[in-house]
Amino acid sequence: MSIQPVEVVYTAVATAENGRDGRVSSDDGKLDVIVNPPKEQGGSGAGTNPEQLFAAGYSACFQGALSVVARRENADVSGSRVTAHVGIGKTPSGGFGLKVEISASIPNVDAATAKDLIEKAHQVCPYSNATRGNIEVTLTVA
């Protein structure tokens, strides 16, 4: 797969201090959170974690892509919800990897249309394009 050029219109900037057990903040101050490993990974679970931040970004981005596709298809996605489940675990090679499930509830369309819309949104979403071929992403209609 070749890398497609991107004409950048916005760049987000965030800085982490002390990795997974510290703080993450954006350069504009709109994001400033304490991060801690979850209890399942031996941490305190007191703060958020990179997987929750990734899930938040992916679900918001996918919802936006769904809206773009819906406008093209003249479909009603009002009242829809997108949930991202981001799992982390060890890979067979000894590193760590992610696994994602995107679940979309689209109440104003039938199940077949919902499935078609989320599959098309998966082709449009920048997060989906960034992860394609790198991690397992499963799409489901809720």
Side-chain angles (χ1 to χ4, degrees):
M1 175 167 44
S2 64
I3 296 175
Q4 294 192 13
V6 174
E7 186 177 322
V8 175
V9 296
Y10 169 75
T11 299
V13 179
T15 302
E17 299 171 22
N18 295 320
R20 296 180 66 85
D21 205 3
R23 176 176 169 248
V24 177
S25 60
S26 61
D27 64 332
D28 62 5
K30 292 181 181 178
L31 177 71
D32 191 350
V33 295
I34 302 299
V35 290
N36 301 113
K39 290 182 179 180
E40 295 84 351
Q41 289 184 306
S44 69
T48 189
N49 59 66
E51 292 71 41
Q52 287 177 330
L53 295 171
F54 188 78
Y58 203 161
S59 62
C61 188
F62 199 94
Q63 179 77 52
L66 180 63
S67 295
V68 167
V69 168
R71 280 192 296 277
R72 291 179 186 165
E73 302 284 321
N74 200 25
D76 181 4
V77 295
S78 60
S80 63
R81 295 172 55 112
V82 174
T83 302
H85 301 260
V86 176
I88 184 171
K90 292 185 179 179
T91 63
S93 63
F96 291 91
L98 300 175
K99 185 175 183 178
V100 174
E101 179 188 350
I102 298 289
S103 175
S105 170
I106 311 172
N108 297 323
V109 300
D110 60 56
T113 301
K115 184 175 184 336
D116 182 59
L117 290 170
I118 64 172
E119 287 174 357
K120 288 177 178 174
H122 189 48
Q123 299 307 309
V124 172
C125 176
Y127 275 62
S128 292
N129 288 331
T131 59
R132 187 169 290 109
N134 298 308
I135 65 173
E136 180 182 340
V137 177
T138 305
L139 305 174
T140 61
V141 175

